[in-house]
Amino acid sequence: MTRLFNDPAAFAEDMVAGFAAAHPEQVRAVPGGVVRARPGRAGKVAVLTGGGSGHYPAFCGVVGAGFADGSVIGNVFTSPSAAQAYSVGRAAERGAGVLFLFGNYAGDVMNFGQAARRLTAEGVPARCFAVTDDIASAPREDLAGRRGIAGGFTVYKTASAAAEEGADLDAVVRVAERTNARTRTLGVAFAGCTLPGQREPLFTVEEGRLGLGLGIHGEPGVSESALTSAEDLAHTLVEGLLAERPEQARDGHRVAVILNGLGATKYEELYVLWGTVSRLLAEAGLTAVRPEVGELVTSLDMAGCSLTLTWLDDELERLWLAPADTPAFRRGPVAAPAAAAEVDPVPAPVPA
């Protein structure tokens, strides 16, 4: 149950205010979300993550050097409005265009698309890309119809790193597209999540069972089975993803891996599961490149987890390993910021 809130209708706004107050050196609040406290250099593509709240550290937790330039934050499990996306895009853009990255959900596609068209009409080139990594949400024949879940984290990371390196907008979009095409995720739920102010979960799973193929907005799994052991679950997740190996990665053996907790599954449990997952990947001839085990894309207090594999090439591996320094994710040394006199002034917030 979600217990800490004031007005349930203002949960997202209250969360953003507290988040910005906790990390003033990295983020600042603007209408519709947050942007970097110290903007990227002039002439940099601005990469923006976005979606409903309830998924921390996705999406706002990865705003910072080496990662996203800003995040558009909607109400819990609700797409941000086009006005919110436009506002954050305006606040974050640095003269080389804007890329909105989000999961493949109808509201997000519509609202981010409207914001991108408005920005482009005003002289700020803007593009959108929807992540489609969830293998349980649509068959292989309909890859474009799949949802975006935890695999979005890998897409956001590589695209952001490309922008940080100085890639132009077309090149950053290309990196997002290629990462998404090589990314697959499968998740399970042990118990549903509860919205702020509600007493009952959005769905239930019978004790001793699991729901296979959950969504991150409280959608139940597509099937149920007995919850036996971590060993059995590891086989289910790994075998399910290996059966969906992307055609363009048939010869690849190096993978970015995310074993993601959904909010109420303890890290110790995830490490028990990872012990078997890592062995199964090695037995399948795969090398896990800097795996991430922990909470990266959550669903409030949902009990469950997901496994993501991204088959890497040389460029994607470099971008996956690139440094980042954000409130929720840090990797490697990030170059020290320029002296105050060398940094462009922080722009004023843009009204929605």
Side-chain angles (χ1 to χ4, degrees):
M1 178 179 293
T2 303
R3 296 175 175 84
L4 297 180
F5 55 87
N6 296 311
D7 178 359
F11 183 83
E13 291 89 340
D14 291 346
M15 181 279 294
V16 172
F19 173 68
H23 303 286
E25 73 287 355
Q26 291 167 304
V27 300
R28 65 184 179 94
V30 297
V34 297
V35 297
R36 292 188 190 182
R38 298 179 68 82
R41 68 186 182 285
K44 177 189 178 298
V45 173
V47 177
L48 305 181
T49 62
S53 54
H55 304 301
Y56 191 86
F59 304 95
C60 60
V62 296
V63 174
F67 219 133
D69 294 270
S71 183
V72 190
I73 305 169
N75 289 329
V76 177
F77 298 168
T78 303
S79 171
S81 68
Q84 287 177 300
Y86 169 82
S87 170
V88 177
R90 266 294 182 188
E93 69 94 7
R94 302 295 292 147
V98 171
L99 174 60
F100 292 110
L101 294 174
F102 47 87
N104 188 30
Y105 299 91
D108 290 325
V109 171
M110 178 178 68
N111 292 338
F112 283 108
Q114 289 178 0
R117 289 190 290 273
R118 181 179 174 187
L119 288 167
T120 300
E122 295 179 1
V124 179
R127 305 275 290 277
C128 294
F129 187 77
V131 177
T132 57
D133 60 301
D134 178 17
I135 69 173
S137 57
R140 299 184 69 157
E141 297 74 27
D142 184 23
L143 295 179
R146 288 179 167 176
R147 299 177 297 205
I149 51 176
F153 189 92
T154 316
V155 178
Y156 306 156
K157 174 64 176 69
T158 56
S160 296
E164 201 77 17
E165 287 184 350
D168 64 19
L169 183 56
D170 286 341
V172 176
V173 172
R174 176 185 56 80
V175 167
E177 291 172 341
R178 195 161 80 258
T179 308
N180 182 68
R182 291 167 167 260
T183 300
R184 301 289 186 269
T185 300
L186 180 61
V188 296
F190 314 130
C193 57
T194 307
L195 296 176
Q198 301 295 312
R199 301 192 62 83
E200 299 298 326
L202 292 176
F203 69 90
T204 59
V205 179
E206 184 180 342
E207 186 72 24
R209 298 182 67 79
L210 60 82
L212 180 67
L214 60 94
I216 59 170
H217 299 97
E219 304 96 335
V222 297
S223 65
E224 284 195 10
S225 61
L227 173 59
T228 52
S229 66
E231 175 98 14
D232 289 342
L233 178 56
H235 278 273
T236 296
L237 295 175
V238 172
E239 291 165 9
L241 293 179
L242 294 183
E244 286 270 346
R245 186 174 185 143
E247 188 62 38
Q248 59 268 57
R250 287 294 172 184
D251 297 328
H253 67 277
R254 295 177 68 79
V255 289
V257 190
I258 297 172
L259 180 57
N260 176 63
L262 284 156
T265 302
K266 303 305 294 181
Y267 276 60
E268 288 88 344
E269 296 176 273
L270 293 175
Y271 284 120
V272 170
L273 182 60
W274 175 248
T276 303
V277 167
S278 61
R279 173 174 58 81
L280 294 176
L281 293 176
E283 290 174 356
L286 297 177
T287 299
V289 178
R290 194 63 184 272
E292 295 290 337
V293 179
E295 293 181 347
L296 295 176
V297 183
T298 62
S299 186
L300 288 177
D301 60 337
M302 184 185 291
C305 61
S306 63
L307 181 65
T308 297
L309 298 181
T310 300
W311 279 263
L312 300 168
D313 58 21
D314 290 344
E315 180 185 33
L316 295 185
E317 181 168 345
R318 184 186 79 249
L319 297 172
W320 172 242
L321 294 175
D325 184 10
T326 76
F329 183 83
R330 294 178 177 85
R331 172 173 290 171
V334 175
E342 300 173 353
V343 177
D344 292 339
V346 174
V350 177

